[in-house]
Amino acid sequence: MTCKGCFKNIGSGMYCSKCKSEMFAGVNVKPLSFDKEEFYKAHTEMADRLSISGVQDKISLKLSGDKLEPTANDGKYILKPVPASNNLRHKEDIAANEHVSMQISKQIFGINTADSALIPFKDGELAYITKRFDYAKDGTKLDQEDFASVLEYTEDSKGRSYKYESSYEEVANAIKKYVPAAQFTLEDFYLRIVFNYLIANGDAHLKNFSLYRPENRKDYALTPSYDLVHTRYHVNETEGDMGLDLFKNTDTRSYGALGFYSLEDFEEFARMIELPEKRLVKVFKKIITSMPKVTEMVERSFLSDSGKEAYLDSYQNRLKQRLLYVIGESYAYDSVLLPIVESVLEDL
Ligand SMILES: [Zn+2]
C-alpha cells in the first residue's frame, strides 16, 4: 500500500503514522461518508456562508471523532474534489496533480508547504484534502493577508484579472517592507517562484502568496505554500509565465529574444533581491539534483499513467529547456550559474 499523504510504503490503512499525526491529530480517519454528488449539494448549500474563495469547488470539513464532516464554521480542512467544470482537460487527474505538486514542494524542495493528502469519497474516488494553517492551536484565527490585499490590488483598482496584474518583483518588495530580517524569506520566496516555474503553475498569482502572523509571534512571515498545481496539464495557456511576470518593468535581453524566462532572468531576479551568490548556487544545486527524486515521486503518485508521463515531460522540459537554458554567445552576460549548468546539463 502507498500512504495517501507522503507516498511511503505502508502495510495497511490509508496513511502512515507520520501523516496521520500531521494531518489528522493521530486519528484513524474513515473515508468520507458522502460521495461527490452529495459534496456538490453540500457545497451549494454552504457556498454563501463560506469565506473561502477561488474557482475550484471546495468545502470546509471538521474532524469529529474519526469522521470528517462538512461544516460552515470552524472547518480545519479544505476538501477539493475533481471539479464539476467542463472547461478543464484531464480533470480526473486534478486532485492527484495538486497532491503530488504539494508533496514535491514539501518533501523534495523543502519549502514550507501546507499539509495535504488524498482521501476517498464513499464510492472510492479520491479527493484532495489540505489542513488549514491559519488557526492557532486554541482555535483562534491567525492574522493573514494575501499579496493582492498587501499590495492593495483590487478589482476596482486593477480590473477583473487584478490578481494577475502584478509581478514577483513587487511581491519581493512588499516582503522587504513588511517582513523583518527579510533575507531568509526572500530566499524562500525565490525557491517558491522557481518551483512554480518548474511545475508550470499558471496560477501562482497574488492571492496564492500570503503573509501571516504565526502563532506566538508578533512579526509577519510567508504562510506555507498552497494551491500548487501543474495547471498547464488542465488548461491551454501561453507558455512562459507563472501567473505573474518576474519583473515589474524591464525584461532581460534573453527574455526579449526568447519570449520565455531562462537562466539569465532567474539570475537577474536573484541579484535584484540581493540573494548572495553562494546561496544562489546552493539553490540551483538543489534544483538540479532534484530531477531523479521528482521522477520517483511522480511515479509513486496517484496520477493516471498518462498524467504521470505528462507531468514528468513538462517538468523535464521546464528544467532543461527553460530554467537552465542559456541563450547563445552573442547575448553573453555575467553568469554565476553557467559553469554549474554546463557541467550537469548532459546528465539530466
Ligand atoms: Zn505518509
Side-chain angles (χ1 to χ4, degrees), residues 3-8 10 15-20:
C3 171
K4 289 182 175 57
C6 67
F7 308 117
K8 257 204 285 290
I10 47 171
Y15 308 106
C16 73
S17 54
K18 187 164 177 277
C19 290
K20 220 183 298 181

Side-chain angles (χ1 to χ4, degrees), residues 178-195:
Y178 294 109
V179 178
Q183 204 50 53
F184 170 80
T185 305
L186 286 169
E187 181 176 333
D188 176 11
F189 178 62
Y190 184 83
L191 186 59
R192 296 183 193 209
I193 303 299
V194 175
F195 177 73

